[in-house]
């Protein structure tokens, strides 16, 4: 079990390298990518079985890498990273099934590289190592949008890269300066999170260092004001890249604040909390309005995703157990629902060669299975009772009311606004008048098999949340108590 995290991180990219070196034929490449994702999922299932929710970092591996600079290969998993790890490995096999007819080899290599990047970022406990994996995620997205996307794909790929690099550079500056402070105090370099968490900074220094991290994570989420790359990128990217961006990479912005923000700057984040809460509340309403007025399905659900990610970010800064539990639960359930709906939008384009709402209609009467899965995932995004999204949203709303009545009122509008634009969209696409579409092909058995696990898990998380909350509740309570104790001591 000591090397299990290393296997989980590097199995996809090692598979890609081997298949590339030996110039594997396309069919072998497809099978290799799929079975590497299945093998990784099995390893994560074994890890989850042996995971102890009462303990902190587990299955860690801490080896020197660049000794003179204090950079280490330091990886480990706790309740927070386990939730993201389960999401990543659970979503990859369905994505590869979706890509079954994709015959461009570079597509498959980039997806395997992307899996290693996001997995490594989630499991890294050395800040330089985290930064390297953080940047590794960007290259495959850049290639997939710029080379395999549509519309203004090169412009949009460059825009997301430039904005992400802006955030990454600010984070890197903060990381290097924190490492320098550690060196000045202890005489040795270290970028290990457990070492750096022992440091204390003066108020001004802490505010600037925290800003470096927050800028990177605000762009990745994205919070309103840092979002201009989002809708164009979602509109131009191929479906698997959109799924990764919405279901996983955006959640890594939340994860980064949780992991590094509250570990290194928990008291300083209280300084930024009012600003982020205001941005999140504005985002809830702004993104919802943009979703209502959007005719392109991908862009509509991009704005929908922005609204719900603003809700998650809001819960994170309310500092009570309802909001924190809801945010973490909603990270997982929203990822499942957004993956499902973007896959359905991809299937819509494959069938009808359009994702414009006004050019669709009458799908339910011609393709009932397609309509069922499309409606289910869309309503799950909106927080349909009985699905996991409802549980997460409800907990955040309760936490918002606990923090402040008016914040709770504004937060509660999320469900209402989501229902408005979701039902308006469904009425026109599924139940509207039939358009001039040649064929309404229903879902194949392969496509149903691809989508069914997402449906089952969304129902389980909605109907039986007690099956999942024991994984993270003990660790979440401990983390929250630590943060509140530090903030209380500061006051």
């Amino acid at each position: 079990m000591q090397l299990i995290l290393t296997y989980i991180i590097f199995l996809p990219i090692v598979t890609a390298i081997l298949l590339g070196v030996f110039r594997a034929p396309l069919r072998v490449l497809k099978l290799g990518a799929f079975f590497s994702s299945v093998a990784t999922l099995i390893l994560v299932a074994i890890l989850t079985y042996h995971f102890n929710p009462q303990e902190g970092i587990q299955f860690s591996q801490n080896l020197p890498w660049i000794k003179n600079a204090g950079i280490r290969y330091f990886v480990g998993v706790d309740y927070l990273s386990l939730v993201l790890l389960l999401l990543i490995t659970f979503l990859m096999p369905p994505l590869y099934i979706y890509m079954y007819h994709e015959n461009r080899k570079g597509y498959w290599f980039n997806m395997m590289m992307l899996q290693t990047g996001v997995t490594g970022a989630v499991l890294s406990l050395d800040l330089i190592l985290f930064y390297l994996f953080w940047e590794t995620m960007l290259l495959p997205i850049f290639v997939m949008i710029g080379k395999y996307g549509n519309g203004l794909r090169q412009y949009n790929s460059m825009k997301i890269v430039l904005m992400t690099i802006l955030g990454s550079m600010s984070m890197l500056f903060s990381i290097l300066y924190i490492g320098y402070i550690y060196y000045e105090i202890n005489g040795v370099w270290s970028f290990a999170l457990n070492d750096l968490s022992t440091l204390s900074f003066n108020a001004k220094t802490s505010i600037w260092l925290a800003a470096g991290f927050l800028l990177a994570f605000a762009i990745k989420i994205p919070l309103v004001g840092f979002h201009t790359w989002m809708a164009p990128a979602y509109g131009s990217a191929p479906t698997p890249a959109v799924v990764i961006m919405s279901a996983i990479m955006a959640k890594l912005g939340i994860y980064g604040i949780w992991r590094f923000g509250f570990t290194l700057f928990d008291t300083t984040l209280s300084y930024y909390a009012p600003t982020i809460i205001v941005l999140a509340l504005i985002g809830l309403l702004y993104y919802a309005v943009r979703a209502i007025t959007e005719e392109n399905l991908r862009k509509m659900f991009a704005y929908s995703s922005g609204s719900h990610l603003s809700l998650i970010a809001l819960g994170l800064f309310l500092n009570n157990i309802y909001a924190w539990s809801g945010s973490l639960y909603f990270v997982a359930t929203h990822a499942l629902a957004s993956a499902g709906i973007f896959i359905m939008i991809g299937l819509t384009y494959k069938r009808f060669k359009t994702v414009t709402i006004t050019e669709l209609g009458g799908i339910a009467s011609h393709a009932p299975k397609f309509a069922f899965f499309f409606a289910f995932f869309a309503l799950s995004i909106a927080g349909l009772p009985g699905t996991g999204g409802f549980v997460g949203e409800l907990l955040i709303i309760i936490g918002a009311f606990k923090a402040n009545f008016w914040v709770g009122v504004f937060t509660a509008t999320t469900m209402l606004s989501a229902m408005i634009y979701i039902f308006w969209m469904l009425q026109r696409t599924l139940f509207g008048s039939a358009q001039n579409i040649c064929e309404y092909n229903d879902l194949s058995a392969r496509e149903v098999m691809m989508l069914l696990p997402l449906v089952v898990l969304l129902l389980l998380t909605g109907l039986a949340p007690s099956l999942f909350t024991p994984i993270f509740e003990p660790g979440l309570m401990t983390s929250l108590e630590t943060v509140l104790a530090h903030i209380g001591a500061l006051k």
Side-chain angles (χ1 to χ4, degrees):
M1 296 294 287
Q2 185 178 2
L3 297 176
I4 191 169
L5 295 184
T6 298
Y7 296 147
I8 289 169
I9 294 171
F10 292 106
L11 181 59
I13 198 166
V14 169
T15 302
I17 292 171
L18 291 175
L19 292 174
V21 167
F22 291 102
R23 298 181 180 275
L26 181 61
R27 178 176 174 79
V28 175
L29 175 60
K30 292 180 178 182
L31 290 174
F34 177 73
F35 284 113
S36 71
S37 70
V38 172
T40 306
L41 178 59
I42 292 171
L43 288 173
V44 173
I46 294 170
L47 181 146
T48 304
Y49 177 78
H50 291 282
F51 181 80
N52 185 351
Q54 304 297 330
E55 297 181 8
I57 299 296
Q58 299 168 54
F59 308 103
S60 61
Q61 192 174 2
N62 191 351
L63 302 172
W65 182 18
I66 307 175
K67 287 187 178 181
N68 292 339
I71 301 172
R72 306 182 68 82
Y73 174 73
F74 185 15
V75 294
V77 63
D78 66 353
Y79 74 95
L80 187 58
S81 47
L82 180 61
V83 171
L84 272 294
L85 184 61
L86 285 166
L87 280 177
I88 295 165
T89 52
F90 183 81
L91 290 177
M92 291 309 296
L95 278 181
Y96 285 132
I97 295 174
Y98 173 86
M99 291 165 52
Y100 178 77
H101 293 294
E102 177 54 58
N103 293 326
R104 291 169 288 187
K105 286 188 174 183
Y107 214 101
W108 294 83
F109 286 122
N110 276 286
M111 286 297 291
M112 286 184 275
M113 182 179 178
L114 189 54
Q115 183 175 355
T116 287
V118 293
T119 305
V122 165
L123 297 176
S124 294
L125 296 174
D126 180 282
L127 268 67
I128 296 294
L129 186 66
F130 169 78
Y131 175 80
L132 292 175
F133 280 118
W134 182 267
E135 290 299 286
T136 300
M137 295 187 298
L138 185 59
L139 180 59
I141 290 295
F142 172 71
V143 173
M144 292 189 75
I145 297 176
K147 187 173 182 179
Y148 305 118
N150 57 76
L152 299 174
R153 61 182 188 273
Q154 294 179 347
Y155 172 82
N156 292 330
S157 66
M158 187 59 68
K159 186 173 185 177
I160 186 176
V161 165
L162 291 177
M163 290 195 67
T164 304
I165 287 177
L166 171 65
S168 298
M169 289 298 100
S170 71
M171 179 171 65
L172 180 61
F173 174 81
S174 293
I175 290 172
L176 294 175
Y177 195 78
I178 294 170
Y180 172 74
I181 293 174
Y182 186 88
Y183 173 78
E184 287 289 293
I185 294 173
N186 298 283
V188 294
W189 290 91
S190 178
F191 294 94
L193 186 60
N194 57 343
D195 290 336
L196 301 183
S197 64
T198 63
L199 297 175
S200 59
F201 314 104
N202 64 55
K204 186 176 180 180
T205 300
S206 184
I207 286 171
W208 282 105
L209 292 176
F213 282 88
L214 287 175
L215 178 60
F217 301 142
I219 291 171
K220 188 71 74 177
I221 291 173
L223 293 176
V224 69
F226 305 92
H227 69 284
T228 55
W229 63 267
M230 180 182 65
Y234 280 47
S236 292
T239 295
V242 175
V243 172
I244 295 294
M245 286 192 292
S246 175
I248 297 173
M249 291 178 67
K251 308 305 187 291
L252 286 177
I254 299 293
Y255 170 83
I257 296 174
W258 224 321
R259 168 68 71 214
F260 302 105
F262 282 104
T263 300
L264 299 172
F265 313 107
D266 51 1
T267 54
T268 305
L269 288 189
S270 63
Y271 170 85
Y272 285 106
T275 301
I276 294 177
I277 288 172
V278 169
L279 286 176
L281 290 173
I282 293 172
L284 289 176
L285 300 177
Y286 170 78
Y287 289 135
V289 171
R290 290 300 303 269
I292 292 171
T293 59
E294 184 57 62
E295 291 295 321
N296 182 291
L297 281 172
R298 282 186 178 176
K299 292 182 178 180
M300 192 199 86
F301 280 102
Y303 288 120
S304 171
S305 180
S307 180
H308 287 101
L309 284 162
S310 296
L311 178 65
I312 294 170
L314 173 68
L316 189 55
F317 281 86
L318 294 177
N319 288 344
N320 63 64
I321 190 59
Y322 298 105
W324 270 36
S325 295
S327 289
L328 187 54
Y329 206 77
F330 201 26
V331 161
T333 57
H334 181 267
L336 296 171
S338 63
I341 194 61
F342 280 116
I343 288 174
M344 291 305 303
I345 293 171
L347 294 175
T348 300
Y349 184 80
K350 285 183 177 181
R351 281 163 168 76
F352 311 126
K353 305 306 176 187
T354 182
V355 290
T356 302
I357 295 173
T358 53
E359 296 176 0
L360 297 167
I363 296 175
S365 58
H366 294 85
K369 287 188 290 186
F370 187 98
F372 168 78
F373 281 96
F374 192 100
F376 178 83
F377 289 123
L379 292 173
S380 297
I381 291 279
L384 177 71
T387 64
F390 176 77
V391 177
E393 286 191 60
L394 185 62
L395 285 172
I396 296 174
I397 291 171
I398 293 172
F401 274 107
K402 183 175 174 61
N404 180 279
F405 175 78
W406 291 111
V407 171
V409 170
F410 276 105
T411 304
T413 63
T414 308
M415 283 189 173
L416 177 62
S417 60
M419 287 295 179
I420 291 173
Y421 60 76
I422 294 295
F423 276 111
W424 176 232
M425 179 274 299
L426 291 177
Q427 189 274 328
R428 290 184 290 168
T429 56
L430 301 186
F431 306 105
S433 58
Q435 302 296 317
N436 296 322
I437 297 172
C438 297
E439 294 184 11
Y440 286 86
N441 295 325
D442 213 342
L443 293 179
S444 66
R446 176 180 61 83
E447 291 168 337
V448 171
M449 180 182 68
M450 168 184 68
L451 296 167
L452 203 55
L454 298 176
V455 171
V456 171
L457 201 51
L458 279 167
L459 289 174
L460 281 176
T461 52
L463 299 173
S466 58
L467 293 176
F468 305 93
T469 53
I471 295 175
F472 63 82
E473 271 191 345
L476 197 68
M477 287 291 295
T478 301
S479 298
L480 181 60
E481 288 171 1
T482 301
V483 169
L484 292 178
H486 288 173
I487 294 175
L490 182 66
K491 294 179 180 179

